[in-house]
Every structure is written in C-alpha cells, then in structure tokens.
Amino acid sequence: MTVVGIIAEYNPFHNGHLHQLEQIRTQFPDATIVVAMSGNFLERGEPACIDKWTRTKLALSAGVDLVVELPLVFCVQPADRFALGAVKILKELGVQKLFFGAEHAAYDFNLMAEKTMKIHGDFSKYNESYAAAYQRAVHEKLGYSVDQPNDLLGLAYARANRKMGSPFELIPLQRVIAGHHDLFLREKKHIASASAIRKQLEKQNVREIRKYVPSWTFNSLTEQRITSWKNFWLLLYYQIKTSSLERMRKLYDVSEGLEYRVKQQTEKLPENAVFDDWIKAVKSKRYTYTRLSRLAVTILIQVTSEEVRKIEEDPYIRLLGFSDKGRFHLNRAKKRCRYPIITKVDKKTKEDLLAVDYRAGTVYSLVNKVPQDLGRFPLYFE
Amino acid sequence: MTVVGIIAEYNPFHNGHLHQLEQIRTQFPDATIVVAMSGNFLERGEPACIDKWTRTKLALSAGVDLVVELPLVFCVQPADRFALGAVKILKELGVQKLFFGAEHAAYDFNLMAEKTMKIHGDFSKYNESYAAAYQRAVHEKLGYSVDQPNDLLGLAYARANRKMGSPFELIPLQRVIAGHHDLFLREKKHIASASAIRKQLEKQNVREIRKYVPSWTFNSLTEQRITSWKNFWLLLYYQIKTSSLERMRKLYDVSEGLEYRVKQQTEKLPENAVFDDWIKAVKSKRYTYTRLSRLAVTILIQVTSEEVRKIEEDPYIRLLGFSDKGRFHLNRAKKRCRYPIITKVDKKTKEDLLAVDYRAGTVYSLVNKVPQDLGRFPLYFE
C-alpha cells in the first residue's frame, strides 16, 4: 500500500484540490492519503475562512484518509521552518510520497534542494526582507530565480525532506490555470485559486464560487460564518494597545526593536483603522506584508519564543479526522511514531502540549462561536 | 471665596446632580465648584456610558468650575481607597468644603469616622466579601448598621478626610427620591438615579429619560454612542483567554489564587457568553459582583499592582475642563499644589505618569472611536 502525503490549508477546499486528489488516485489507486493541514490560523498569517473541523470534513468528503493538524507554532514561521515541521510530522506518519502543486512541475526539486542546502536562513544582517534575501541566495546557488509561491514552497519541502534523510519521494504536480495569488475567477474554467475564492467570499458573493468548489464545500460556505482578519482586527488592536514592551519582546519573532516599531506605528493609527492600515503602517523594506501578517497571528495568540522552541523540540500529532483506511493506517503507523498522537484535548493537554493550539482555538471561537478543542473528537468518515 | 469639592461620576449628568449644584449655590453663592470625576471607567467597575470629555462638558454646562480626572488606579479600588485618592487630590486643589449626597444626611459623619478609624480594611482572613466584612466591622464600632451606598461612600470620604488631617468641612446633602440603585424612573418626579437612566439607555429608550436630565445631557445622549460592558466584553473575554497565569498574577487585586479561579471559570463559559455570565461564573461569597466588576476593569486595562502602588505614592492631577472662575482658582491653587498638574498628554506623560489612564483611554476609544488623550485639550467653558 502506498502512503501519500499532502501539506495543505484547504482554505477552502476547491476543485483544484479535488483535481490533485484525482491525479494521486490515478497514479496510485490504492493510496492512503494523509494530509497535514493548518489549523485555524494559516502560514501566510491569516485566520482560516472556515474552521479546521469544517475543513477536515471537506477533505474527508473528497476522499482524504487521514487529516492531522499542523501545530500553530509551525504556521507562524517562514516557509522553510514551516516545511520542516510539516515534513517531520508526515515522516512519523509513514508517508512515502509527498505530492505538492508547483508552477513548474518539471523542476528537479531534489537537485535544487541539494544545491541550496547551504542556505541557512540567517539573513538578519541584510537591510531587506527575509523572503527577498532568501530568493537572492537561491538565485546565487542555482543560477536562476525561483519566484513563484508554489515553486518556493516545493523547494522548501524538498530541502526539509533532504534534511530529514529524504524519507519521501517528491512528486510535483503542475498547477492548472489559477496561480496562487490570482484574484479573479476564470470564467469557463472551473478551477480558481483559494485566494480568488476568498475574495468573492469577502464580498459575500457566495453564489459566484459555486462552480469552482465541490458541492459539499459550497454547502458549508453558505452555512458558516466566514472569518477573516476583519473579525479579529479589534482583538489584535486591543492586544497591541494593552501590551507592554516587555511582554511583546517575549513573543516569537519579535526582536531587534520590532516591538518599538509595532507599538509606535500602531499608536499613530486612527480609532477606526482596519487591519490593512496596520500592516501598511508597520511595513518596511525589512518587514513584508506576509511576515507582519504572521506576526499579527503571533501577537493575537500571544505565541512566545519559548513555546515555539519547546514544540519544535518535541512535536506532537493532532488527529482531526480519518476514514476506515486512514484509521487502519494510523494504527500501524502508531507503532513506529515517536511523537505523541493527540486524539482529544483534555485538562492536561490543554495546559501542556496543546497550550498554544488550544489558545488559538479559543480565540478563533470568540469569533465563529463554535468550540474548537475541548469536547471535540476526530471526525470519522465512513 | 469658598472652594467646594464634589467627587462624582456624572454617568450621566442628571437632574439630581443639577439639584446638588443648586443647593451648593444657595448656601455659597460665590463658591468655586471643583469636581474630581472618574474617567472612562468607574469605581463600581464599569465603562462610563459616555466618555469623560462629554461628561466634563455636561458638568461645565451645569456651572461646575473645574473638572479634574481621578486616576484610573483609584477607581479599581474599594470605596475606602478610592475615597482617599479623591480626597488627596481635592485637598491639593484647595477645596474647603466637601459636598456629598447621603441617604441619611442627618448622620454625623465626622463622629462616625472618628469611631471607625481603627478599621483598616484588612479582611483577607474572613470567608466573606470585603464589603460585608467592612460593614460588619462598622456595625461593631458604631452599634448600628450603615448599609446604604451613599451613606457608606460618605463615611469613606469622612474617614479619608480625617486621615488627611481634616482639610474639609463635610456637608452631606439629603438624596431626594431616587436611591442609587433604583431601577425605575419615578413618574411625575423629575429626579431618577443614574442607574435607572442607564437602564433606559441600555434599552435604547432615550426618549424616556428626557425629563430626568438637563437638555444638554439629553442632546449628548442622543448624539453619542452609549457604551457598557456589552461593548467591552469580547475584549475582556479575549484578554482572559490569552493571559498566562503569571501575567494575571501581576495585576492589581489578583492574589490568593484568584487567577486560577478566573481562568478556570472563564474556560467553562460557552462561546456566546456575556459579561453577566462571566460575573456569575466567578462570583462567590468572597468575591462580590462589584469587586469582580472592578477586577474586570483591571484585567481589561491590564493595571498591575506595581502601577497602582506607584501612582498612590505619587499622584497627579489631570485637568479636563474649567470656567473662568475655575481657571482663576487653579492658578492660585497651583502655587501650593504638590502634585503635578497635567493639562495635556504628550509622548513623555503617556509612557510615564499617565501610562495607565492613557491605556484606559485607548481601550475606551476602540469602542467609542473618539480619541481620548493624545491631541485633546482641557475644555474651556466661557
């Protein structure tokens, strides 16, 4: 039996994701498909438009066999470290083949990883953004640019895979039609990017997206409260206004005086400012939109450096849902898995291992009003 | 010239307050009336229904000569310590006579203060509330109960006055008709309690209160966004959910494990809980509604014990508004005043002396959308 892994957000699950699963099933009809999915806050620094349970349900409905949640601490980190966290988890779950979408599926990601292994991501001396410095370093090593978001993510997966002793065969899939940042739904073609779909959701044009998502996604989107930074902005604004510099300094990725910049620029905002005003006010050559969005999640959930370090050292696997096949696989994988597998959050785990994810869940539920952790059990899809 | 002092909330300013000012002017036609007013959060632990600037304007419109803001740290403390803070400030402003409403204006508050001076308010060993223990101690010393809210506050002022060397002549005024907690507007009589008026405001029955407030209050209430705990509840809920026990312990009045109780009881609340559910969940024999409401303000604004101690040791006077007479008096009083008088909040004061009040103002303005401190100047009423 082939065990296939995917690293996903499913924000929301759409026809492009369905197409990816179909391709996997064409190549490996007997595959068990394991997905490491971000929880309620995602790697680009934004709240998920629908919660992790709904997104798990959508994935299971599409034929995914096992969904586990990526700890939030991986999601507030740059692509390289995010990828490493996800790869570690999928490795422990016995994944053999990692599928990922890429703008250039013909790239030899293994070779690219090999050539760029010496890049360590310590760019603090450059007066430019982490992302820009990283891309420049990649260009230097390869002799050509990698600048498309999925290609870059693919390279990050490949580097993480190599770092972990190459447990996976990498299988890039050519992305069809919609680029990751495409903001318009392409008429006549029935695939649109998740960003384009969210854009329509923000405008409350749910009907517009009908043909770009499976029916089960469409139904969920019409039933659920769709969330975005708009819903969390007041809480973030309040948090920054009441945080001391001392407290801010303890948070992940707040260093080199960033706490002063955040406090000062936030103070200059008018009372009716919105999230984008905040980003624009704090943005600089050094601090990009994405990095600040991730910082916003860090501040909102109050994720400390200490917490990130602890979980990076001792990761865990949080089970969100499974099919029969997924359960069968999990029972086998368990025997060799070195990380604790959490099937439900209780009094102990919520103050210990799961503290950060639990906090993220409670904050998310202040907006969507649906409990996220205590009393929730993995979804079983027959 | 007589200098009269009042300690007030004006939440909102109503006919009862107007009546009090008329009585003062009847007795002392040349009086300069100085008011020490709570800012945007009040001593009973609630957000003001309209902001401090609007309430200052209402007071000046009614003939008050000088309005200064009581530092927030006094307002999160029990009546005794609140009273002491207010008395200190009015003393420095050269007040000679302190007027206050009482349910029993015939009481000899000086004598009562003398007899109860040995009560120090250290009731931590009793398994009952601070308020209940205090009232019992008062009963023991006097041989009779003092249990009406304004009588109790009057006694607190009298005790504070005595403690400060009796700078004031105390002049209790008989409260007319409406008790402090009366929740119904009394028809035909044109005086209602502030609580009764707020109750109607909450129900958005602004018209109902027309005859109980001066026209200038009525106009303000129809123009302003009326705030209550309802508007701040989500921020408080979020703050508790993201606060560590360690951080909670640094806050004022969080001791003897109260931080555990607050965290645990808050966790049990459903996602759609409201402020009153929170109070009910945390309430016990020991922790009364009022004490917990004050704690809620402490948590919302993140007021630490250290900050309370610092300001108690070195108070300041924040000027909110004045008439010509008030300005004349202030210029004279300044010469003997030992506390700094703040007329505007700037970069330095907002991070130093005024840090807590500034934070309270920024949080309040997240809801009412009106800047509270930076760029605001004392109101001058010709």
Side-chain angles (χ1 to χ4, degrees), chain A residues 238 247 267 300 302 350, chain B residues 238 247 267 300 302 350:
Chain A
Y238 164 74
R247 195 204 303 169
E267 295 235 324
L300 182 73
Q302 295 280 291
K350 86 178 168 57
Chain B
Y238 164 74
R247 196 206 301 171
E267 295 235 323
L300 181 72
Q302 296 280 291
K350 89 177 167 57

Side-chain angles (χ1 to χ4, degrees), chain B residues 104-219:
Chain B
H104 299 89
Y107 280 170
D108 183 341
F109 284 91
N110 281 313
L111 186 66
M112 288 158 74
E114 195 190 322
K115 286 188 174 172
T116 58
M117 278 320 270
K118 283 197 181 138
I119 302 174
H120 287 300
D122 174 20
F123 302 117
S124 58
K125 49 191 175 299
Y126 300 118
N127 183 20
E128 61 185 338
S129 74
Y130 181 97
Y134 177 78
Q135 282 185 43
R136 205 160 45 73
V138 167
H139 186 106
E140 273 167 26
K141 300 284 179 193
L142 297 181
Y144 56 86
S145 283
V146 180
D147 55 10
Q148 297 291 302
N150 288 277
D151 289 346
L152 279 164
L153 216 46
L155 178 57
Y157 297 151
R159 282 160 48 90
N161 185 41
R162 200 178 162 85
K163 203 171 272 178
M164 295 304 295
S166 298
F168 311 146
E169 180 190 346
L170 302 176
I171 309 185
L173 291 174
Q174 184 61 42
R175 274 182 72 93
V176 278
I177 301 161
H180 192 94
H181 288 310
D182 277 9
L183 294 183
F184 301 102
L185 301 170
R186 310 285 173 101
E187 289 303 324
K188 287 173 201 157
K189 314 280 183 175
H190 298 283
I191 290 180
S193 71
S195 320
I197 291 169
R198 289 197 303 275
K199 206 86 187 169
Q200 294 299 323
L201 285 176
E202 260 173 50
K203 294 186 202 151
Q204 306 196 300
N205 291 341
V206 184
R207 276 157 191 284
E208 287 294 308
I209 63 168
R210 180 163 233 152
K211 45 183 165 195
Y212 305 99
V213 298
S215 57
W216 55 90
T217 293
F218 184 76
N219 293 338

Side-chain angles (χ1 to χ4, degrees), chain A residues 229-268:
Chain A
W229 265 117
K230 209 172 150 183
N231 308 99
F232 291 95
W233 162 241
L234 189 69
L235 300 180
L236 176 69
Y237 203 11
Y238 164 74
Q239 182 66 263
I240 297 172
K241 280 176 181 269
T242 54
S243 283
S244 64
L245 289 165
E246 185 200 348
R247 195 204 303 169
M248 204 91 117
R249 262 190 291 271
K250 287 187 183 156
L251 301 181
Y252 173 73
D253 200 29
V254 176
S255 56
E256 299 162 33
L258 180 54
E259 69 274 25
Y260 293 99
R261 183 171 176 83
V262 168
K263 283 287 271 187
Q264 280 165 6
Q265 296 302 101
T266 305
E267 295 235 324
K268 288 181 193 161

Side-chain angles (χ1 to χ4, degrees), chain B residues 206-382:
Chain B
V206 184
R207 276 157 191 284
E208 287 294 308
I209 63 168
R210 180 163 233 152
K211 45 183 165 195
Y212 305 99
V213 298
S215 57
W216 55 90
T217 293
F218 184 76
N219 293 338
S220 278
L221 291 173
T222 52
E223 288 158 11
Q224 302 269 321
R225 181 191 291 242
I226 307 296
T227 74
S228 70
W229 265 118
K230 209 170 150 184
N231 308 99
F232 291 94
W233 162 241
L234 188 69
L235 300 180
L236 176 68
Y237 204 12
Y238 164 74
Q239 182 67 262
I240 298 171
K241 280 176 181 269
T242 54
S243 283
S244 64
L245 289 164
E246 184 201 348
R247 196 206 301 171
M248 204 88 118
R249 262 190 289 273
K250 288 188 182 157
L251 300 182
Y252 174 73
D253 201 29
V254 177
S255 55
E256 298 160 35
L258 180 55
E259 69 274 24
Y260 294 98
R261 185 170 175 82
V262 168
K263 282 288 272 186
Q264 278 164 9
Q265 296 302 100
T266 305
E267 295 235 323
K268 289 180 192 162
L269 292 175
E271 277 64 28
N272 57 359
V274 297
F275 180 70
D276 264 9
D277 299 330
W278 180 78
I279 295 264
K280 275 177 206 150
V282 186
K283 219 168 154 292
S284 70
K285 271 201 177 168
R286 179 83 191 271
Y287 301 110
T288 59
Y289 193 100
T290 305
R291 178 157 172 199
L292 291 176
S293 301
R294 276 201 290 261
L295 178 68
V297 173
T298 302
I299 297 172
L300 181 72
I301 311 299
Q302 296 280 291
V303 184
T304 66
S305 309
E306 176 58 21
E307 287 175 323
V308 172
R309 194 193 55 72
K310 226 178 80 186
I311 298 172
E312 277 192 326
E313 274 175 20
D314 292 305
Y316 52 82
I317 294 171
R318 170 80 188 276
L319 185 60
L320 290 179
F322 51 81
S323 66
D324 278 323
K325 216 198 231 177
R327 180 165 52 179
F328 178 78
H329 171 68
L330 185 67
N331 283 335
R332 273 198 336 175
K334 255 182 196 168
K335 289 165 196 151
R336 280 165 293 114
C337 180
R338 291 169 306 163
Y339 302 158
I341 296 175
I342 315 283
T343 51
K344 77 181 179 53
V345 176
D346 56 22
K347 230 174 150 175
K348 197 179 164 305
T349 49
K350 89 177 167 57
E351 272 157 28
D352 178 24
L353 262 186
L354 266 280
V356 178
D357 290 333
Y358 176 71
R359 213 153 64 225
T362 56
V363 172
Y364 194 86
S365 71
L366 285 178
V367 166
N368 92 329
K369 309 287 179 197
V370 179
Q372 291 297 303
D373 292 294
L374 280 183
R376 299 295 298 251
F377 297 93
L379 301 174
Y380 165 55
F381 195 84
E382 223 171 338

